Amino acid sequence: MSQRIKRAFLDTEDGQILYRIGGEGKAILLLHMIPRSSDEFQELMSILAEKNLVIAMDLMGLGDSDKPPRVYSVADYAKTAIALLDELGIQKANIFGSLTGGYIAGEVAAAYPNRVDKLILCNLFGFDAEEKDKILHRYSQGFPIKADGSHLMEQWLSRLNYIGNGELNHRCVLEDLKCFGSPVYPGIAIANYCLAAPQRFRLIQCPTLILSGEKALEPLEKAGLAKAENQYWLKDVIPHSQRVELEGGTLWMVNQMPTEIVKSVIDFL
């Protein structure tokens, strides 16, 4: 039977953070990619909540969380994750991070090692200095609202080849629109952090699963935001990690392949 997932808000000095929560048992905190929200984990949560306490938060500046009053760093986002665990009375949790959320999850494990049991990094790609500058420019500028409404169709078409013309694309576009007209704060945070990530991630000591999709890198390569040769760093800096690649998995595989994702996660945990 599917577990009911509820929504609530965490009050912080910088604004409110929306989070979803459901189930009972060992806690799993889920951190999403950009420009998604906790909705990225809708399918995953309903399955995991059958035997676990699952929590997913909207990163500040995305979804239904408030925009931060300043440019946040990855360390700031890590602090909000810890603040949520504190609010819920959770001393130690497993953490699953998808791309952007993976960088934040890794920083949580590096900075707060006593708060993380096991770590799952999903589709966490590496970037070089050239790509960092592109990412910083793209997300500092944000997504412009066009007077003729053509930005709506552009967003619909941007991922059509990977997720199709249906409900998932609609969900993604709705989340895109919530961050239009302002900087995409988590994207700026990742741009400012990505070159330092290898050094920070060397501090990770907890058991770690590196989960990737066979086709997940494609849209970033086509956009000139990532290169295949920069994708070996995680293995180098977390040598004790396990690796699983899902055949046919895309950047949106958390929604498209929830059963396969859950199997890999449960086997690891």
Side-chain angles (χ1 to χ4, degrees):
M1 178 175 160
S2 179
Q3 295 292 313
R4 184 183 175 194
I5 306 299
K6 299 180 180 180
R7 285 180 286 184
F9 283 93
L10 169 70
D11 291 319
T12 77
E13 61 182 11
D14 288 339
Q16 289 191 312
I17 295 173
L18 180 134
Y19 65 94
R20 302 173 190 235
I21 186 169
E24 295 179 352
K26 179 68 178 178
I28 304 176
L29 177 63
L30 308 168
L31 302 173
H32 64 84
M33 67 175 178
I34 53 175
R36 298 297 308 277
S37 73
S38 56
D39 177 78
E40 180 181 5
F41 300 111
Q42 184 182 133
E43 291 85 357
L44 218 58
M45 291 186 80
S46 63
I47 305 173
L48 287 172
E50 293 177 1
K51 294 184 179 180
N52 302 273
L53 173 64
V54 286
I55 310 112
M57 61 194 296
D58 288 4
L59 300 176
M60 294 197 80
L62 294 173
D64 290 324
S65 288
D66 288 340
K67 290 178 171 56
R70 55 185 168 79
V71 173
Y72 257 29
S73 66
V74 166
D76 289 324
Y77 280 109
K79 287 178 184 177
T80 65
I82 293 298
L84 180 56
L85 294 180
D86 287 344
E87 174 72 13
L88 298 173
I90 299 169
Q91 179 57 36
K92 203 166 191 178
N94 298 308
I95 302 187
F96 180 112
S98 173
L99 190 45
T100 314
Y103 276 106
I104 297 167
E107 177 60 24
V108 173
Y112 308 93
N114 62 321
R115 305 300 298 272
V116 181
D117 190 3
K118 293 185 178 181
L119 178 66
I120 300 141
L121 304 174
C122 180
N123 288 334
L124 179 52
F125 301 118
F127 307 101
D128 60 26
E130 177 187 7
E131 293 154 358
K132 171 214 166 170
D133 290 341
K134 290 180 181 179
I135 293 168
L136 185 60
H137 174 76
R138 178 173 184 159
Y139 290 121
S140 295
Q141 183 181 37
F143 302 121
I145 299 171
K146 299 182 179 179
D148 62 358
S150 59
H151 61 290
L152 302 174
M153 183 57 72
E154 288 172 5
Q155 292 306 115
W156 183 265
L157 295 174
S158 65
R159 56 181 75 86
L160 192 65
N161 290 336
Y162 299 97
I163 63 178
N165 187 9
E167 181 198 3
L168 180 55
N169 205 346
H170 177 70
R171 285 162 58 188
C172 290
V173 170
L174 288 178
E175 292 177 325
D176 292 343
L177 298 182
K178 289 181 180 180
C179 63
F180 261 62
S182 72
V184 183
Y185 292 97
I188 297 172
I190 295 309
N192 289 329
Y193 180 86
C194 62
L195 298 185
Q199 181 179 359
R200 293 295 298 163
F201 277 38
R202 289 186 189 279
L203 300 175
I204 296 172
Q205 297 299 317
C206 64
T208 302
L209 172 65
I210 299 173
L211 183 62
S212 61
E214 177 191 16
K215 299 181 179 180
L217 187 63
E218 287 183 15
L220 296 180
E221 281 188 297
K222 287 183 178 180
L225 296 177
K227 302 183 185 77
E229 58 263 32
N230 293 332
Q231 308 315 317
Y232 303 103
W233 68 282
L234 277 175
K235 181 180 179 181
D236 293 336
V237 301
I238 315 178
H240 60 277
S241 61
Q242 301 178 35
R243 300 179 65 86
V244 174
E245 181 178 86
L246 295 182
E247 183 179 355
T250 74
L251 197 56
W252 297 271
M253 68 184 188
V254 173
N255 298 114
Q256 296 167 323
M257 307 171 66
T259 303
E260 293 88 339
I261 298 281
V262 167
K263 183 181 184 307
S264 295
V265 169
I266 295 303
D267 287 349
F268 171 67
L269 297 180

